[in-house]
Amino acid sequence: MLVDDIDLPQEILNIISEMGIKSLYSPQAEAIPHVEEGKNLLMAVPTAAGKSLVAYVGVLRGVLRGGKALYIVPLRALAWEKIDELKRFGSVGIKVGVSVGDYDSAPEKLARCDIIVATAEKADSLLRHRVKWLRDINVVVADEVHLIQDAKRGPTMEVILARFKSLPQNIQIIALSATVPNSEEIADWLEAVHLKSDWRPVELRSYVFQGGEQYHANQDGEITREESGFPNAKKGEESIIRDNLEKGHQCLAFVNARSRAVSLARKMSVLTEKSRTTAEKDKLKELSEQVLKAERETTDIARELAGLLEKGSSFHHAGLTDPMRKIIEKGFRLGYIKIIAATPTLAAGVNLPARRVIVRDIYRYEGRRGMAPISVLEIKQMCGRAGRPGYDTEGEAFIIASSRNKVREIVERYLIGEGESIQSKLGVEGALRVHILASIAAGFVTGLDSLEKFIDSTLYAHQSDKYFLKEQISSTIDFLLVSGFLKYMDENGDFKSEKLSLYECKAPNVFSGSFKDGWNEPPMFENALSLTESVCNGIETGAIRFYPTEFGLRTSRLYVDPMSALNLRNALMVLESDPHRKISALGVLHILCTCPDMNPLYLRRAESLTFTELYNNRKDDFLVEAPADPYELEFFLSEIKTASLLDDWMEEMCEDEITKKYNVGPGDIRSRVELGGWLLYSMKELAKLFSISRVDPLEKMLMRMKQGIKEELSELVSIRDVGRVRGRALYNAGFTDRKELAKASYEQLIATRGIGKVLAEKIIGEVKSR
Ligand SMILES: Nc1ncnc2c1ncn2[C@@H]1O[C@H](COP(=O)(O)OP(=O)(O)OP(=O)(O)O)[C@@H](O)[C@H]1O
Ligand SMILES: [Mg+2]
């Protein structure tokens, strides 16, 4: 089948051809007719088989029919790749938007876009806000849908797919998946055509590598062994990389820890440095300079990365910031960077020109579980980065075995094995309380009928004992009732908030009485009736009606876990109960870090003492007491560590110092500041809701969190291009606010550190204009 055979206008087909796609791959040729018929589709095919094109066809058809399409991606990095491709259709008037951050805003501008690329969380947030244009959506793409099994983020993907499936306008769902054993079950759940294939456009040969020899499995599952023939083959990954480089190819190496990524990149830079051409040297120098300029503050990590990039080698992990990662990916795509040593964060879905992939570690540190094997699916995703169409004509993946007696096990598990089945994680701690509250707050669930319908629509119900699920739902609803997020109206028309014990199960009374102290009954949401009109589930036949309280509604719309909202509310009550109590930033930050939405920093053993001391020295600042249980204490100390990082950030400690003090990367600072800002904003909003008198200090803290400054710089950083570093330099030079700055001469300004001629002029223009 040719591209021109697709039922789309010629001008669109021309754009697809310009992307280098002329004839269709066989899984695409099989899938596209189903898409053209408007059917739901689950496509479970290998990496690089061109799944995105099938989704694009669906999306474009949806838009041409006058609707909107939502393209859900699991990672921000992938969002940018999809946007870059979809923007090509801008020339025929199709508008593409992206929605990957900014949790509580009403995104009106998206209303004008035809295709919206979003993370699952953002799509969920759009559903919760019930944006008007939801009814225009007629196609939803779920990329990397196998990530439904991820305990942290999977339930959100599952619930939104269940939701889109039951919206009244008949949405076409196109789900793209890796090959998994139970893809048929997932297709069944989605009421989708199931398309499974092992076909890959570029041959990918996978080996287990040990002691200079490579092992692979033939079609009958027999293991064969051969000499790799690489020079110095006993050196493991080094010999594979060296050989690859000598043949002029690029390589991706996956390791299980950031420090290992850095040390491997360092080691390999000795090789890549020698192989650079003169033209490459210039380009690499440019990349290196871009990394140093990517952030306002330079850190040792950025300097190290810049130094390695100049030599043609790189590392890649979550401690880097998004701009740094983009520079690395671009440099690799253009062929200047010859090797990237990465943690598995790079694995899912990205297109990179790696002829070879090396998987050096098959175990990963998983907190309390210690070293645990990495899933087959994930290792296959890593291997699948090798041999991408358009870049390579073949690909090779090497999984390194640490010893000879591990070889058979690794071959059987990762080369022959089919991998894990996708299992719903909706039953994990927290997922149900988040999604049931969201369902009721947005009016998707209004009574027992629609609750039942919601349960039935989930993969969880599809896969597990429904009785067990009902039991969990029952205790979750009771929790939401007694904690003030919900009310229900009984058959007599009375509003109640005591436990319902639905489904007559004996749900344990997990939350009884814990939140009573200082608790003010939240007011009912005024427009509850109109808001909770059922969106898609018809008329309720039962007597019971669910309503969100204002607290429940706000929690859901703020996109915070109800448990986070409770922690924030309880802290506010403690502050309110003693008006003379000084609000300590560290104490408030610690509360943010106790929320399940925060991702606390890992606490190293040696750090326990430091943060125990910090707690003991500043006990009065904290709103919560340290737990006695040693297991809980360790958690508590990691929360204190995270709070302390945020506090240092707001006290203007420079980023380089923070990265050293906490053993983190600049990307970790960014992500915690982002989470901290969102939770602090939520706390402030809840303070307003509960008429807490001290909203003002929270507002100020929020501004300080966003900027990383002490309060005294607040006016200066409101000037364009003045951040915390320049703001501090200006302040220290005596220009403490806009008024003082207006008196400054051009000469005085350029004598200030970090202020160049152009900026000095801009500052003068700005402060004098007001
Ligand atoms: N029919 C085709 N002819 C030539 N190139 C194609 C064709 N279809 C897709 N490609 C190219 O193949 C590459 C891989 O496609 P895509 O990213 O869609 O793979 P994928 O199936 O989503 O893989 P992964 O599971 O790794 O995400 C892309 O660069 C794409 O442009
Ligand atoms: Mg893909």
Side-chain angles (χ1 to χ4, degrees):
M1 190 175 171
L2 299 175
V3 163
D4 285 352
D5 297 328
I6 303 175
D7 186 15
L8 282 171
Q10 193 56 46
E11 46 183 3
I12 288 189
L13 297 179
N14 292 345
I15 298 172
I16 296 177
S17 296
E18 282 159 22
M19 288 158 78
I21 303 177
K22 306 271 189 275
S23 62
L24 298 183
Y25 294 153
S26 65
Q28 294 171 333
E30 213 180 318
I32 287 173
H34 296 297
V35 171
E36 289 175 342
E37 282 174 37
K39 290 187 180 146
N40 288 354
L41 175 72
L42 179 104
M43 203 180 170
V45 296
T47 53
K51 294 184 280 293
S52 317
L53 178 73
V54 175
Y56 296 166
V57 171
V59 159
L60 293 163
R61 285 179 54 83
V63 172
L64 292 173
R65 288 202 312 274
K68 275 185 193 299
L70 193 61
Y71 199 114
I72 303 167
V73 288
L75 299 168
R76 284 194 209 187
L78 214 54
W80 303 122
E81 201 178 294
K82 296 298 153 209
I83 293 272
D84 282 348
E85 287 205 321
L86 288 166
K87 280 225 161 124
R88 294 169 186 239
F89 300 101
S91 60
V92 290
I94 291 174
K95 293 193 202 75
V96 184
V98 61
S99 179
V100 291
D102 196 24
Y103 294 86
D104 197 37
S105 65
E108 283 99 9
K109 64 173 192 274
L110 291 178
R112 291 191 294 275
C113 294
D114 303 301
I115 304 173
I116 291 119
V117 180
T119 53
E121 290 73 19
K122 195 65 208 186
D124 187 17
S125 176
L126 296 171
L127 279 162
R128 291 186 194 192
H129 282 87
R130 289 174 58 174
V131 288
K132 278 212 183 95
W133 49 265
L134 268 183
R135 68 171 87 99
D136 302 332
I137 291 181
N138 58 6
V139 177
V140 169
V141 174
D143 199 3
E144 311 279 333
V145 77
H146 50 266
L147 290 173
I148 274 189
Q149 62 154 11
D150 180 84
K152 221 168 167 187
R153 302 182 57 202
T156 305
M157 178 70 112
E158 176 180 341
V159 168
I160 55 173
L161 285 180
R163 189 90 76 222
F164 281 120
K165 231 171 58 165
S166 42
L167 284 181
Q169 70 255 41
N170 199 9
I171 293 175
Q172 180 179 27
I173 295 177
I174 301 173
L176 312 177
S177 167
T179 46
V180 290
N182 66 335
S183 50
E184 187 154 10
E185 185 182 32
I186 310 295
D188 216 39
W189 166 60
L190 289 173
E191 295 162 55
V193 173
H194 176 228
L195 208 152
K196 191 171 187 170
S197 157
D198 290 329
W199 189 89
R200 200 179 191 274
V202 174
E203 191 194 355
L204 175 65
R205 291 192 299 276
S206 301
Y207 303 98
V208 171
F209 190 87
Q210 209 284 318
E213 292 172 325
Q214 55 194 38
Y215 298 78
H216 68 110
N218 68 15
Q219 285 188 328
D220 302 324
E222 284 163 13
I223 301 176
T224 56
R225 178 174 64 151
E226 60 196 25
E227 287 294 326
S228 67
F230 303 147
N232 268 329
K234 290 225 158 35
K235 284 197 153 180
E237 68 271 8
E238 207 179 314
S239 62
I240 305 175
I241 296 169
R242 185 190 289 270
D243 178 72
N244 197 47
L245 258 179
E246 280 167 8
K247 290 177 177 148
H249 302 308
Q250 292 166 277
C251 176
L252 273 175
F254 288 101
V255 294
N256 62 2
R258 295 176 183 186
S259 56
R260 285 172 163 236
V262 177
S263 60
L264 183 59
R266 258 186 224 147
K267 208 157 130 193
M268 293 304 112
S269 67
V270 181
L271 299 180
T272 53
E273 187 178 16
K274 290 189 201 128
S275 71
R276 295 170 306 169
T277 62
T278 317
E280 280 172 348
K281 278 185 193 165
D282 293 343
K283 294 290 179 191
L284 287 166
K285 180 118 191 76
E286 271 173 38
L287 289 175
S288 160
E289 282 162 6
Q290 282 173 18
V291 159
L292 292 174
K293 282 192 206 136
E295 305 296 335
R296 286 200 177 149
E297 291 175 58
T298 314
T299 54
D300 270 2
I301 295 172
R303 280 185 281 270
E304 164 112 54
L305 178 62
L308 290 173
L309 285 185
E310 210 173 330
K311 295 177 183 166
S313 174
S314 181
F315 56 89
H316 188 293
H317 58 61
L320 301 179
T321 60
D322 282 356
M324 289 173 175
R325 287 192 250 179
K326 275 190 196 164
I327 294 167
I328 297 168
E329 286 162 31
K330 185 180 82 184
F332 193 75
R333 241 175 229 133
L334 294 171
Y336 307 133
I337 299 172
K338 302 296 177 194
I339 166 152
I340 300 181
T343 55
T345 38
L346 191 64
V350 287
N351 273 307
L352 290 170
R355 168 67 67 102
R356 274 185 193 162
V357 160
I358 296 165
V359 178
R360 205 179 70 175
D361 303 307
I362 53 165
Y363 288 88
R364 171 170 50 203
Y365 183 70
E366 301 256 0
R368 240 151 239 293
R369 284 176 63 209
M371 296 305 277
I374 299 176
S375 74
V376 177
L377 197 60
E378 211 176 332
I379 297 273
K380 288 206 163 154
Q381 286 292 317
M382 294 178 202
C383 295
R385 294 316 104 207
R388 306 290 292 187
Y391 289 124
D392 272 306
T393 48
E394 59 179 306
E396 291 172 312
F398 295 88
I399 306 173
I400 311 279
S402 56
S403 68
R404 187 112 180 223
N405 56 16
K406 290 258 163 68
V407 170
R408 173 166 288 278
E409 184 193 328
I410 300 177
V411 172
E412 284 175 356
R413 187 169 152 80
Y414 294 111
L415 300 191
I416 302 174
E418 235 204 309
E420 303 79 10
S421 294
I422 305 299
Q423 294 299 322
S424 163
K425 296 293 185 311
L426 196 55
V428 301
E429 159 77 22
L432 276 176
R433 70 172 176 249
V434 168
H435 292 293
I436 289 183
L437 175 61
S439 298
I440 295 174
F444 292 109
V445 167
T446 55
L448 294 185
D449 290 348
S450 46
L451 179 63
E452 186 90 10
K453 220 169 162 183
F454 167 70
I455 299 171
D456 281 343
S457 69
T458 62
L459 176 64
Y460 194 90
H462 205 79
Q463 287 185 322
S464 52
D465 183 349
K466 206 166 143 189
Y467 176 79
F468 187 62
L469 175 59
K470 282 186 163 186
E471 200 169 2
Q472 282 179 298
I473 287 187
S474 179
S475 60
T476 304
I477 288 196
D478 284 350
F479 160 68
L480 294 170
L481 283 166
V482 298
S483 315
F485 294 103
L486 300 182
K487 294 221 172 202
Y488 70 93
M489 190 165 67
D490 68 9
E491 53 273 21
N492 304 319
D494 296 327
F495 281 112
K496 294 197 166 150
S497 58
E498 55 267 19
K499 286 181 189 172
L500 261 171
S501 297
L502 285 169
Y503 305 120
E504 295 174 357
C505 65
K506 303 280 174 288
N509 182 3
V510 199
F511 303 102
S512 71
S514 355
F515 305 105
K516 290 275 181 323
D517 295 343
W519 162 237
N520 284 338
E521 182 108 345
M524 272 294 294
F525 183 69
E526 279 173 16
N527 300 319
L529 279 171
S530 62
L531 201 132
T532 55
E533 265 165 31
S534 176
V535 177
C536 57
N537 297 294
I539 310 283
E540 295 286 345
T541 54
I544 287 175
R545 293 282 182 281
F546 294 117
Y547 297 97
T549 59
E550 268 195 55
F551 180 38
L553 193 72
R554 200 76 194 105
T555 298
S556 179
R557 291 200 166 176
L558 285 165
Y559 208 78
V560 290
D561 185 319
M563 203 56 103
S564 296
L566 278 183
N567 288 0
L568 299 176
R569 193 201 68 191
N570 287 350
L572 289 167
M573 296 304 166
V574 172
L575 290 175
E576 195 68 354
S577 64
D578 180 2
H580 302 296
R581 184 182 180 127
K582 192 176 145 274
I583 297 189
S584 145
L586 183 63
V588 171
L589 295 171
H590 173 249
I591 291 297
L592 308 181
C593 297
T594 63
C595 294
D597 293 299
M598 177 50 89
N599 179 13
L601 297 170
Y602 171 67
L603 183 82
R604 282 157 213 273
R605 198 162 293 195
E607 291 171 329
S608 289
L609 194 63
T610 316
F611 294 103
T612 305
E613 267 175 26
L614 175 68
Y615 172 73
N616 287 334
N617 293 341
R618 296 184 58 181
K619 239 179 198 163
D620 288 346
D621 288 358
F622 292 96
L623 299 167
V624 193
E625 274 188 33
D629 176 78
Y631 174 77
E632 285 178 27
L633 183 66
E634 201 183 313
F635 259 119
F636 183 81
L637 291 176
S638 68
E639 289 162 7
I640 296 212
K641 175 178 172 182
T642 316
S644 170
L645 178 147
L646 292 172
D647 197 35
D648 282 340
W649 162 255
M650 287 161 57
E651 285 296 318
E652 297 178 31
M653 184 184 276
C654 71
E655 283 193 40
D656 201 24
E657 215 176 321
I658 297 180
T659 58
K660 286 174 191 145
K661 178 171 171 187
Y662 296 92
N663 211 333
V664 295
D668 299 302
I669 305 177
R670 290 287 178 286
S671 64
R672 289 349 181 262
V673 165
E674 196 177 317
L675 286 169
W678 159 41
L679 288 164
L680 194 53
Y681 173 79
S682 303
M683 189 172 190
K684 180 192 73 139
E685 290 299 298
L686 293 178
K688 283 195 219 156
L689 178 72
F690 290 113
S691 309
I692 302 282
S693 51
R694 296 197 272 177
V695 176
D696 207 36
L698 296 177
E699 297 260 19
K700 287 192 179 130
M701 266 184 77
L702 184 57
M703 181 277 299
R704 291 184 53 208
M705 170 87 82
K706 282 188 183 149
Q707 303 282 352
I709 53 164
K710 294 181 185 166
E711 202 182 322
E712 63 201 24
L713 292 195
S714 61
E715 236 185 275
L716 294 177
V717 295
S718 68
I719 297 166
R720 189 190 277 262
D721 289 333
V722 176
R724 64 187 207 135
V725 178
R726 286 170 178 154
R728 176 51 58 196
L730 287 169
Y731 191 94
N732 289 349
F735 309 116
T736 51
D737 52 27
R738 280 172 170 269
K739 217 167 93 200
E740 289 303 318
L741 211 46
K743 295 180 202 159
S745 68
Y746 172 78
E747 285 71 27
Q748 281 175 314
L749 283 183
I750 54 168
T752 309
R753 209 164 158 241
I755 312 285
K757 292 175 181 168
V758 180
L759 183 59
E761 276 172 18
K762 273 198 206 161
I763 292 175
I764 291 173
E766 190 174 332
V767 290
K768 296 212 162 131
S769 69
R770 291 203 194 167

